[in-house]
Amino acid sequence: MDEVEVVVAHSERATLRVGDVFLKVDGDQARIDVEVEAMALAPVPTPRVLWRKPPVLAISAVPGTALGRLGEPSTASPAAWAAVGAAVRKLHDAPLPAWPGQGGRSLDELAADLDRECAWLVTNGVLPADLVARNRQVAEAALRPWTPVFAHGDLQITHVFTEGDEITGIIDWSEAGQGDALFDLAILTLGHEEHLGDLVAGYGTDVDLDVIRAWWSLRSLLAIRWLSEHGFDPTAPGCEVDVLRSRM
């Protein structure tokens, strides 16, 4: 009998793996609705939906291995990173979905969230005030008008799978929708700045690198409290706090 592996589990959702099947348990059915519809629309390899019985969604495993992990060096080749860039560009060029996504929050909402989280980080002594202030300054570049694209919305490096130099699948589409293209590119390269050039080479268009760097700071500042409260460690080597320190 296959063992049950807990892939991720916190108060909002859990993902289990049993053999080649992933079981996603989510009390928010709107997120599952988005995931199913986004995978059906996305012009890139995605998992196959096997069955759905709320609050559980069963999907197939995708072949290959994750592009990397936050806090660890990526062993994927430059060609693999370029292939991922080409796939992301194909997604961004696809017709827009009908709904906003995680990366599609308004500028006012993002600015308000950023102000609140920066104040929390300093008031509670989580990070030094100068570190927060510097990254708050860097993050400003991300708060600009952008043209919406079909964005994944949570394109972490562990959500992209490759085999050799080819992309085999992109998983976890619950945050997908209309969003900022550079948000996707930034989340994918968070903590892996050395691979940004290869990714952009495959993406195949002019990219504002300062905005991507701004998203690294913005995303890290916004995520630290949530990560800490849900059992993750943003202070681990190579993770969010180190990303912020690299901007000093």
Side-chain angles (χ1 to χ4, degrees):
M1 178 179 292
D2 291 317
E3 293 185 354
V4 177
E5 174 190 357
V6 179
V7 179
V8 62
H10 49 75
S11 60
E12 294 182 4
R13 67 188 87 166
T15 301
L16 311 175
R17 180 170 186 167
V18 185
D20 289 332
V21 176
F22 284 89
L23 302 174
K24 306 192 74 170
V25 185
D26 196 325
D28 183 348
Q29 287 307 292
R31 273 197 296 252
I32 297 296
D33 291 342
V34 165
E35 179 146 18
V36 171
E37 186 163 0
M39 288 192 295
L41 294 174
V44 295
T46 65
R48 182 166 54 93
V49 174
L50 301 176
W51 52 264
R52 180 181 181 187
K53 185 176 181 179
V56 181
L57 171 68
I59 59 176
S60 64
V62 296
T65 57
L67 191 62
R69 297 183 66 85
L70 185 62
E72 301 177 6
S74 169
T75 59
S77 68
W81 277 89
V84 171
V88 176
R89 176 59 186 271
K90 188 174 182 180
L91 174 67
H92 290 171
D93 285 344
L96 286 174
W99 63 92
Q102 173 66 14
R105 283 175 289 176
S106 73
L107 297 183
D108 288 343
E109 289 173 321
L110 281 170
D113 289 347
L114 183 59
D115 287 342
R116 182 184 65 252
E117 293 305 311
C118 286
W120 181 85
L121 291 168
V122 174
T123 301
N124 290 278
V126 177
L127 293 176
D130 61 340
L131 180 64
V132 174
R134 170 55 182 159
N135 279 277
R136 175 69 176 81
Q137 181 184 36
V138 172
E140 286 286 344
L143 301 177
R144 87 286 178 224
W146 42 267
T147 301
V149 300
F150 188 163
H152 181 279
D154 190 24
L155 199 60
Q156 300 178 45
I157 191 171
T158 52
H159 292 168
V160 180
F161 284 70
T162 61
E163 198 166 57
D165 296 336
E166 302 294 329
I167 183 170
T168 56
I170 299 177
I171 66 172
D172 285 0
W173 291 81
S174 61
E175 308 293 344
Q178 297 183 24
D180 180 357
L182 299 189
F183 178 83
D184 270 356
L185 298 180
I187 299 306
L188 186 55
T189 53
L190 184 77
H192 292 86
E193 184 171 358
E194 68 277 11
H195 296 292
L196 179 58
D198 296 323
L199 182 75
V200 171
Y203 193 73
T205 189
D206 290 334
V207 170
D208 190 330
L209 299 183
D210 286 337
V211 172
I212 289 181
R213 296 185 182 103
W215 269 120
W216 291 338
S217 291
L218 179 53
R219 190 269 184 188
S220 297
L221 290 168
L222 293 181
I224 287 174
R225 181 179 0 190
W226 187 95
L227 291 168
S228 300
E229 292 176 348
H230 288 79
F232 302 98
D233 184 8
T235 68
C239 295
E240 284 78 7
V241 173
D242 276 355
V243 170
L244 297 176
R245 288 177 177 145
S246 71
R247 298 302 104 196
M248 298 297 285

CSV table of all heavy atoms in Angstrom, one decimal, residues 188-236:
chain,number,residue,atom,x,y,z
A,188,LEU,N,8.9,33.3,-9.1
A,188,LEU,CA,9.7,32.1,-9.5
A,188,LEU,C,11.2,32.2,-9.2
A,188,LEU,O,11.8,31.2,-9.0
A,188,LEU,CB,9.5,32.0,-11.1
A,188,LEU,CG,10.0,30.7,-11.7
A,188,LEU,CD1,9.6,29.4,-11.1
A,188,LEU,CD2,9.7,30.7,-13.2
A,189,THR,N,11.7,33.4,-9.2
A,189,THR,CA,13.1,33.6,-9.0
A,189,THR,C,13.5,34.1,-7.6
A,189,THR,O,14.6,34.4,-7.3
A,189,THR,CB,13.7,34.6,-10.0
A,189,THR,OG1,12.9,35.8,-10.0
A,189,THR,CG2,13.7,34.0,-11.4
A,190,LEU,N,12.5,34.2,-6.7
A,190,LEU,CA,12.7,34.6,-5.3
A,190,LEU,C,13.8,33.7,-4.7
A,190,LEU,O,13.6,32.5,-4.6
A,190,LEU,CB,11.4,34.6,-4.5
A,190,LEU,CG,11.5,35.1,-3.1
A,190,LEU,CD1,11.5,36.6,-3.1
A,190,LEU,CD2,10.3,34.6,-2.3
A,191,GLY,N,14.9,34.3,-4.2
A,191,GLY,CA,15.9,33.6,-3.6
A,191,GLY,C,16.8,32.9,-4.6
A,191,GLY,O,17.7,32.1,-4.2
A,192,HIS,N,16.6,33.0,-5.9
A,192,HIS,CA,17.4,32.4,-7.0
A,192,HIS,C,17.7,33.4,-8.0
A,192,HIS,O,17.6,33.2,-9.2
A,192,HIS,CB,16.6,31.2,-7.6
A,192,HIS,CG,16.4,30.1,-6.7
A,192,HIS,ND1,15.4,30.0,-5.8
A,192,HIS,CD2,17.2,29.0,-6.4
A,192,HIS,CE1,15.5,28.9,-5.0
A,192,HIS,NE2,16.6,28.2,-5.4
A,193,GLU,N,18.2,34.5,-7.6
A,193,GLU,CA,18.5,35.7,-8.5
A,193,GLU,C,19.5,35.3,-9.6
A,193,GLU,O,19.4,35.8,-10.7
A,193,GLU,CB,19.1,36.8,-7.7
A,193,GLU,CG,19.4,38.1,-8.5
A,193,GLU,CD,19.7,39.3,-7.6
A,193,GLU,OE1,19.7,39.1,-6.4
A,193,GLU,OE2,20.0,40.3,-8.2
A,194,GLU,N,20.4,34.3,-9.3
A,194,GLU,CA,21.4,33.9,-10.3
A,194,GLU,C,20.8,33.3,-11.5
A,194,GLU,O,21.4,33.2,-12.6
A,194,GLU,CB,22.4,32.9,-9.7
A,194,GLU,CG,21.8,31.5,-9.3
A,194,GLU,CD,21.1,31.5,-8.0
A,194,GLU,OE1,20.8,32.6,-7.4
A,194,GLU,OE2,20.8,30.4,-7.5
A,195,HIS,N,19.5,32.9,-11.5
A,195,HIS,CA,18.8,32.2,-12.6
A,195,HIS,C,17.9,33.2,-13.4
A,195,HIS,O,17.3,32.8,-14.4
A,195,HIS,CB,18.1,31.0,-12.2
A,195,HIS,CG,18.9,29.9,-11.6
A,195,HIS,ND1,19.8,29.2,-12.4
A,195,HIS,CD2,19.0,29.4,-10.4
A,195,HIS,CE1,20.4,28.3,-11.6
A,195,HIS,NE2,20.0,28.4,-10.4
A,196,LEU,N,17.8,34.4,-12.9
A,196,LEU,CA,16.9,35.4,-13.6
A,196,LEU,C,17.3,35.6,-15.0
A,196,LEU,O,16.4,35.7,-15.9
A,196,LEU,CB,17.0,36.7,-12.8
A,196,LEU,CG,16.1,37.8,-13.3
A,196,LEU,CD1,14.6,37.4,-13.4
A,196,LEU,CD2,16.2,39.1,-12.5
A,197,GLY,N,18.6,35.7,-15.4
A,197,GLY,CA,18.9,35.9,-16.8
A,197,GLY,C,18.5,34.8,-17.7
A,197,GLY,O,18.0,35.1,-18.8
A,198,ASP,N,18.6,33.6,-17.2
A,198,ASP,CA,18.2,32.4,-18.0
A,198,ASP,C,16.7,32.4,-18.2
A,198,ASP,O,16.2,32.1,-19.3
A,198,ASP,CB,18.7,31.1,-17.4
A,198,ASP,CG,20.2,31.0,-17.3
A,198,ASP,OD1,20.9,31.4,-18.3
A,198,ASP,OD2,20.7,30.4,-16.3
A,199,LEU,N,16.0,32.7,-17.1
A,199,LEU,CA,14.5,32.7,-17.2
A,199,LEU,C,14.1,33.8,-18.2
A,199,LEU,O,13.2,33.5,-19.1
A,199,LEU,CB,13.9,33.0,-15.8
A,199,LEU,CG,12.4,33.0,-15.8
A,199,LEU,CD1,11.8,31.6,-15.9
A,199,LEU,CD2,11.9,33.7,-14.5
A,200,VAL,N,14.6,35.0,-18.1
A,200,VAL,CA,14.2,36.1,-19.0
A,200,VAL,C,14.6,35.8,-20.4
A,200,VAL,O,13.9,36.2,-21.4
A,200,VAL,CB,14.8,37.4,-18.5
A,200,VAL,CG1,14.6,38.5,-19.5
A,200,VAL,CG2,14.2,37.8,-17.1
A,201,ALA,N,15.8,35.1,-20.6
A,201,ALA,CA,16.2,34.8,-22.0
A,201,ALA,C,15.1,33.9,-22.6
A,201,ALA,O,14.8,34.1,-23.8
A,201,ALA,CB,17.5,34.0,-22.0
A,202,GLY,N,14.5,33.0,-21.9
A,202,GLY,CA,13.5,32.1,-22.4
A,202,GLY,C,12.2,32.9,-22.6
A,202,GLY,O,11.4,32.6,-23.5
A,203,TYR,N,11.9,33.8,-21.7
A,203,TYR,CA,10.7,34.6,-21.7
A,203,TYR,C,10.6,35.4,-23.0
A,203,TYR,O,9.5,35.6,-23.5
A,203,TYR,CB,10.6,35.5,-20.5
A,203,TYR,CG,9.3,36.1,-20.2
A,203,TYR,CD1,8.2,35.3,-19.7
A,203,TYR,CD2,9.1,37.5,-20.4
A,203,TYR,CE1,7.0,35.9,-19.5
A,203,TYR,CE2,7.8,38.0,-20.2
A,203,TYR,CZ,6.8,37.3,-19.7
A,203,TYR,OH,5.6,37.8,-19.4
A,204,GLY,N,11.7,35.9,-23.4
A,204,GLY,CA,11.8,36.5,-24.8
A,204,GLY,C,11.3,37.8,-25.0
A,204,GLY,O,10.8,38.1,-26.1
A,205,THR,N,11.3,38.7,-24.0
A,205,THR,CA,10.9,40.1,-24.2
A,205,THR,C,11.5,41.0,-23.2
A,205,THR,O,12.1,40.5,-22.2
A,205,THR,CB,9.3,40.2,-24.1
A,205,THR,OG1,8.9,41.5,-24.5
A,205,THR,CG2,8.9,40.0,-22.6
A,206,ASP,N,11.5,42.3,-23.4
A,206,ASP,CA,12.1,43.2,-22.5
A,206,ASP,C,11.4,43.1,-21.1
A,206,ASP,O,10.2,43.1,-21.1
A,206,ASP,CB,12.0,44.6,-23.0
A,206,ASP,CG,12.9,44.9,-24.2
A,206,ASP,OD1,13.9,44.1,-24.3
A,206,ASP,OD2,12.6,45.8,-25.0
A,207,VAL,N,12.2,43.0,-20.1
A,207,VAL,CA,11.6,42.8,-18.7
A,207,VAL,C,12.3,43.9,-17.8
A,207,VAL,O,13.6,44.0,-17.9
A,207,VAL,CB,11.9,41.4,-18.2
A,207,VAL,CG1,11.6,41.3,-16.7
A,207,VAL,CG2,11.1,40.4,-19.0
A,208,ASP,N,11.6,44.6,-17.0
A,208,ASP,CA,12.1,45.6,-16.1
A,208,ASP,C,12.6,44.8,-14.9
A,208,ASP,O,11.9,44.5,-14.0
A,208,ASP,CB,11.0,46.6,-15.8
A,208,ASP,CG,11.6,47.8,-15.0
A,208,ASP,OD1,12.6,47.6,-14.3
A,208,ASP,OD2,11.0,48.9,-15.1
A,209,LEU,N,13.9,44.7,-14.8
A,209,LEU,CA,14.5,43.9,-13.7
A,209,LEU,C,14.4,44.6,-12.4
A,209,LEU,O,14.3,44.0,-11.3
A,209,LEU,CB,16.0,43.6,-14.0
A,209,LEU,CG,16.3,42.8,-15.3
A,209,LEU,CD1,17.8,42.6,-15.4
A,209,LEU,CD2,15.6,41.5,-15.3
A,210,ASP,N,14.3,46.0,-12.4
A,210,ASP,CA,14.1,46.7,-11.2
A,210,ASP,C,12.7,46.4,-10.6
A,210,ASP,O,12.6,46.3,-9.3
A,210,ASP,CB,14.3,48.2,-11.4
A,210,ASP,CG,15.7,48.6,-11.6
A,210,ASP,OD1,16.6,47.9,-11.2
A,210,ASP,OD2,15.9,49.7,-12.2
A,211,VAL,N,11.7,46.2,-11.4
A,211,VAL,CA,10.4,45.8,-10.9
A,211,VAL,C,10.4,44.4,-10.3
A,211,VAL,O,9.8,44.2,-9.3
A,211,VAL,CB,9.4,46.0,-12.0
A,211,VAL,CG1,8.0,45.4,-11.5
A,211,VAL,CG2,9.2,47.4,-12.4
A,212,ILE,N,11.1,43.5,-11.0
A,212,ILE,CA,11.2,42.2,-10.4
A,212,ILE,C,11.9,42.2,-9.0
A,212,ILE,O,11.4,41.6,-8.1
A,212,ILE,CB,12.0,41.2,-11.4
A,212,ILE,CG1,11.1,40.9,-12.6
A,212,ILE,CG2,12.4,39.9,-10.7
A,212,ILE,CD1,11.8,40.0,-13.6
A,213,ARG,N,13.0,43.0,-8.9
A,213,ARG,CA,13.6,43.1,-7.6
A,213,ARG,C,12.7,43.7,-6.6
A,213,ARG,O,12.7,43.4,-5.4
A,213,ARG,CB,14.9,43.9,-7.8
A,213,ARG,CG,16.0,43.2,-8.7
A,213,ARG,CD,17.3,43.9,-8.7
A,213,ARG,NE,18.2,43.3,-9.6
A,213,ARG,CZ,18.5,43.7,-10.8
A,213,ARG,NH1,17.9,44.8,-11.3
A,213,ARG,NH2,19.4,43.0,-11.6
A,214,ALA,N,11.9,44.7,-7.0
A,214,ALA,CA,11.0,45.3,-6.1
A,214,ALA,C,9.9,44.3,-5.6
A,214,ALA,O,9.5,44.3,-4.5
A,214,ALA,CB,10.3,46.5,-6.9
A,215,TRP,N,9.5,43.4,-6.5
A,215,TRP,CA,8.5,42.4,-6.1
A,215,TRP,C,9.2,41.4,-5.1
A,215,TRP,O,8.5,40.9,-4.2
A,215,TRP,CB,8.0,41.6,-7.3
A,215,TRP,CG,6.8,42.2,-8.0
A,215,TRP,CD1,6.6,42.6,-9.2
A,215,TRP,CD2,5.5,42.3,-7.3
A,215,TRP,NE1,5.3,43.0,-9.4
A,215,TRP,CE2,4.6,42.8,-8.3
A,215,TRP,CE3,5.0,42.0,-6.0
A,215,TRP,CZ2,3.3,43.1,-8.0
A,215,TRP,CZ3,3.7,42.3,-5.7
A,215,TRP,CH2,2.8,42.8,-6.7
A,216,TRP,N,10.5,41.1,-5.2
A,216,TRP,CA,11.1,40.3,-4.2
A,216,TRP,C,11.0,40.9,-2.9
A,216,TRP,O,10.7,40.2,-1.9
A,216,TRP,CB,12.6,40.1,-4.6
A,216,TRP,CG,12.9,39.3,-5.8
A,216,TRP,CD1,12.1,38.4,-6.4
A,216,TRP,CD2,14.1,39.3,-6.6
A,216,TRP,NE1,12.7,37.8,-7.5
A,216,TRP,CE2,14.0,38.4,-7.6
A,216,TRP,CE3,15.3,40.0,-6.5
A,216,TRP,CZ2,15.0,38.1,-8.6
A,216,TRP,CZ3,16.3,39.8,-7.4
A,216,TRP,CH2,16.1,38.9,-8.5
A,217,SER,N,11.3,42.2,-2.8
A,217,SER,CA,11.1,42.9,-1.5
A,217,SER,C,9.7,42.9,-1.0
A,217,SER,O,9.4,42.7,0.1
A,217,SER,CB,11.7,44.3,-1.6
A,217,SER,OG,13.1,44.3,-1.7
A,218,LEU,N,8.8,43.3,-1.9
A,218,LEU,CA,7.4,43.5,-1.6
A,218,LEU,C,6.8,42.1,-1.1
A,218,LEU,O,6.1,42.1,-0.1
A,218,LEU,CB,6.6,44.0,-2.8
A,218,LEU,CG,5.1,44.2,-2.6
A,218,LEU,CD1,4.8,45.1,-1.4
A,218,LEU,CD2,4.6,44.9,-3.9
A,219,ARG,N,7.0,41.1,-1.9
A,219,ARG,CA,6.5,39.8,-1.5
A,219,ARG,C,7.0,39.3,-0.2
A,219,ARG,O,6.3,38.8,0.6
A,219,ARG,CB,6.8,38.8,-2.6
A,219,ARG,CG,6.0,37.5,-2.5
A,219,ARG,CD,6.8,36.5,-1.7
A,219,ARG,NE,6.1,35.2,-1.6
A,219,ARG,CZ,6.6,34.2,-0.9
A,219,ARG,NH1,7.6,34.3,-0.1
A,219,ARG,NH2,5.9,33.0,-0.9
A,220,SER,N,8.3,39.5,0.0
A,220,SER,CA,8.9,39.0,1.3
A,220,SER,C,8.3,39.8,2.5
A,220,SER,O,8.0,39.2,3.5
A,220,SER,CB,10.4,39.2,1.2
A,220,SER,OG,10.9,38.3,0.2
A,221,LEU,N,8.2,41.1,2.4
A,221,LEU,CA,7.7,41.9,3.5
A,221,LEU,C,6.2,41.5,3.8
A,221,LEU,O,5.9,41.4,4.9
A,221,LEU,CB,7.7,43.4,3.1
A,221,LEU,CG,9.1,44.0,3.1
A,221,LEU,CD1,9.1,45.4,2.4
A,221,LEU,CD2,9.7,44.1,4.5
A,222,LEU,N,5.5,41.2,2.7
A,222,LEU,CA,4.1,40.9,2.9
A,222,LEU,C,3.9,39.5,3.5
A,222,LEU,O,2.9,39.2,4.2
A,222,LEU,CB,3.3,41.0,1.6
A,222,LEU,CG,3.1,42.4,1.0
A,222,LEU,CD1,2.3,42.3,-0.2
A,222,LEU,CD2,2.4,43.3,2.0
A,223,ALA,N,4.9,38.6,3.2
A,223,ALA,CA,4.7,37.2,3.6
A,223,ALA,C,5.2,36.8,5.0
A,223,ALA,O,4.7,35.7,5.5
A,223,ALA,CB,5.4,36.3,2.5
A,224,ILE,N,6.0,37.5,5.6
A,224,ILE,CA,6.7,37.0,6.8
A,224,ILE,C,5.7,36.7,7.9
A,224,ILE,O,5.8,35.7,8.5
A,224,ILE,CB,7.8,38.1,7.2
A,224,ILE,CG1,9.0,38.0,6.2
A,224,ILE,CG2,8.3,37.8,8.6
A,224,ILE,CD1,10.0,39.0,6.5
A,225,ARG,N,4.8,37.6,8.2
A,225,ARG,CA,3.9,37.3,9.3
A,225,ARG,C,3.0,36.1,9.0
A,225,ARG,O,2.9,35.2,9.8
A,225,ARG,CB,2.9,38.5,9.5
A,225,ARG,CG,2.0,38.2,10.6
A,225,ARG,CD,1.0,39.2,11.0
A,225,ARG,NE,0.8,40.5,10.4
A,225,ARG,CZ,0.1,41.4,10.9
A,225,ARG,NH1,-0.6,41.2,12.1
A,225,ARG,NH2,0.0,42.6,10.3
A,226,TRP,N,2.5,36.0,7.7
A,226,TRP,CA,1.7,34.8,7.4
A,226,TRP,C,2.5,33.5,7.5
A,226,TRP,O,2.0,32.5,8.1
A,226,TRP,CB,1.1,34.9,6.0
A,226,TRP,CG,0.2,33.8,5.6
A,226,TRP,CD1,-1.2,33.9,5.7
A,226,TRP,CD2,0.5,32.5,5.1
A,226,TRP,NE1,-1.7,32.7,5.3
A,226,TRP,CE2,-0.8,31.8,4.9
A,226,TRP,CE3,1.7,31.9,4.8
A,226,TRP,CZ2,-0.8,30.5,4.4
A,226,TRP,CZ3,1.6,30.5,4.3
A,226,TRP,CH2,0.4,29.9,4.1
A,227,LEU,N,3.7,33.5,7.0
A,227,LEU,CA,4.5,32.3,7.1
A,227,LEU,C,4.8,31.9,8.5
A,227,LEU,O,4.7,30.7,8.9
A,227,LEU,CB,5.9,32.6,6.4
A,227,LEU,CG,5.8,32.7,4.8
A,227,LEU,CD1,7.1,33.2,4.3
A,227,LEU,CD2,5.4,31.4,4.2
A,228,SER,N,5.1,32.9,9.4
A,228,SER,CA,5.4,32.6,10.8
A,228,SER,C,4.2,32.1,11.5
A,228,SER,O,4.3,31.2,12.3
A,228,SER,CB,5.9,33.9,11.5
A,228,SER,OG,7.1,34.4,10.9
A,229,GLU,N,3.0,32.5,11.1
A,229,GLU,CA,1.8,32.1,11.8
A,229,GLU,C,1.3,30.8,11.3
A,229,GLU,O,0.4,30.2,11.9
A,229,GLU,CB,0.7,33.2,11.7
A,229,GLU,CG,1.0,34.5,12.4
A,229,GLU,CD,0.0,35.6,12.2
A,229,GLU,OE1,-0.8,35.4,11.2
A,229,GLU,OE2,0.0,36.6,12.9
A,230,HIS,N,1.8,30.3,10.2
A,230,HIS,CA,1.3,29.0,9.6
A,230,HIS,C,2.4,27.9,9.6
A,230,HIS,O,2.3,27.0,8.8
A,230,HIS,CB,0.8,29.3,8.2
A,230,HIS,CG,-0.5,30.0,8.1
A,230,HIS,ND1,-0.6,31.4,8.3
A,230,HIS,CD2,-1.8,29.6,8.0
A,230,HIS,CE1,-1.8,31.7,8.2
A,230,HIS,NE2,-2.6,30.7,8.1
A,231,GLY,N,3.4,28.1,10.5
A,231,GLY,CA,4.3,27.0,10.7
A,231,GLY,C,5.5,27.0,9.7
A,231,GLY,O,6.3,26.0,9.7
A,232,PHE,N,5.8,28.0,9.0
A,232,PHE,CA,6.9,28.1,8.1
A,232,PHE,C,8.0,29.0,8.7
A,232,PHE,O,7.7,29.9,9.6
A,232,PHE,CB,6.5,28.6,6.7
A,232,PHE,CG,5.5,27.7,6.0
A,232,PHE,CD1,4.1,28.1,6.1
A,232,PHE,CD2,5.8,26.6,5.4
A,232,PHE,CE1,3.1,27.3,5.5
A,232,PHE,CE2,4.8,25.8,4.8
A,232,PHE,CZ,3.5,26.1,4.8
A,233,ASP,N,9.2,28.9,8.2
A,233,ASP,CA,10.3,29.7,8.8
A,233,ASP,C,10.9,30.7,7.8
A,233,ASP,O,11.8,30.2,7.0
A,233,ASP,CB,11.4,28.8,9.4
A,233,ASP,CG,12.5,29.6,10.1
A,233,ASP,OD1,12.3,30.8,10.2
A,233,ASP,OD2,13.5,28.9,10.4
A,234,PRO,N,10.5,31.9,7.7
A,234,PRO,CA,11.0,32.9,6.8
A,234,PRO,C,12.5,33.3,7.1
A,234,PRO,O,13.1,33.9,6.2
A,234,PRO,CB,10.1,34.1,6.9
A,234,PRO,CG,9.5,34.0,8.3
A,234,PRO,CD,9.4,32.5,8.6
A,235,THR,N,13.0,32.9,8.3
A,235,THR,CA,14.4,33.2,8.6
A,235,THR,C,15.3,32.1,8.2
A,235,THR,O,16.6,32.2,8.4
A,235,THR,CB,14.5,33.5,10.1
A,235,THR,OG1,14.3,32.2,10.8
A,235,THR,CG2,13.5,34.5,10.6
A,236,ALA,N,14.9,31.0,7.6
A,236,ALA,CA,15.7,29.9,7.2
A,236,ALA,C,16.7,30.4,6.1
A,236,ALA,O,16.4,31.3,5.4
A,236,ALA,CB,14.9,28.7,6.7
